[in-house]
Amino acid sequence: MHTWNSAEWLIMAFDSTQQALRAEMLMEYMDLEIDTCPTPKEITAGCALSIQFLGFDLGQVKSLIVDQQVEIRGIFYKDKDEYIEIEMDRATDEKGGD
C-alpha cells in the first residue's frame, strides 16, 4: 500500500466554489505554493475547482482550515489510479500514511 510523503502534491477538494476561491486567496496570502486545477473525476465533490499543494505544507493548510473555518470536501493523495482521503486528525504527520 502506497502512503503519501511530504514531497508529493496533495489535492484539496470543495463542495462550494466560494470556499475554493476563499481558500485559494488565503493560501496565496500565506505564500504557499499552490495550483488550482479541475477536481479529478475520481473525487466526488460539489465544486469543479480544487487546489493542489505540497505535502510538507499540510500542517499549515490544516491550521488555515480550522482557524479560518474553510469548508472542504477533503484532502487527498493519489495512489496509482485512485485518490485516497487523508484523515484530518493525522494531517500534521509530515511523513503521512502508516
Side-chain angles (χ1 to χ4, degrees), residues 1-5 58 77 86 90 93-98:
M1 177 180 181
H2 173 81
T3 57
W4 66 275
N5 69 60
L58 185 56
Y77 70 93
I86 296 172
R90 292 173 51 202
D93 179 1
E94 279 188 24
K95 294 180 183 171
D98 290 328

Side-chain angles (χ1 to χ4, degrees), residues 3-14:
T3 57
W4 66 275
N5 69 60
S6 62
E8 290 184 82
W9 286 95
L10 303 178
I11 189 162
M12 182 166 41
F14 304 86

Side-chain angles (χ1 to χ4, degrees), residues 70-88:
V70 178
E71 297 175 22
I72 66 167
R73 164 63 184 85
I75 297 175
F76 302 83
Y77 70 93
K78 189 170 186 176
D79 183 12
K80 298 179 185 164
D81 292 331
E82 67 178 322
Y83 287 87
I84 299 172
E85 188 168 1
I86 296 172
E87 296 177 31
M88 289 304 290

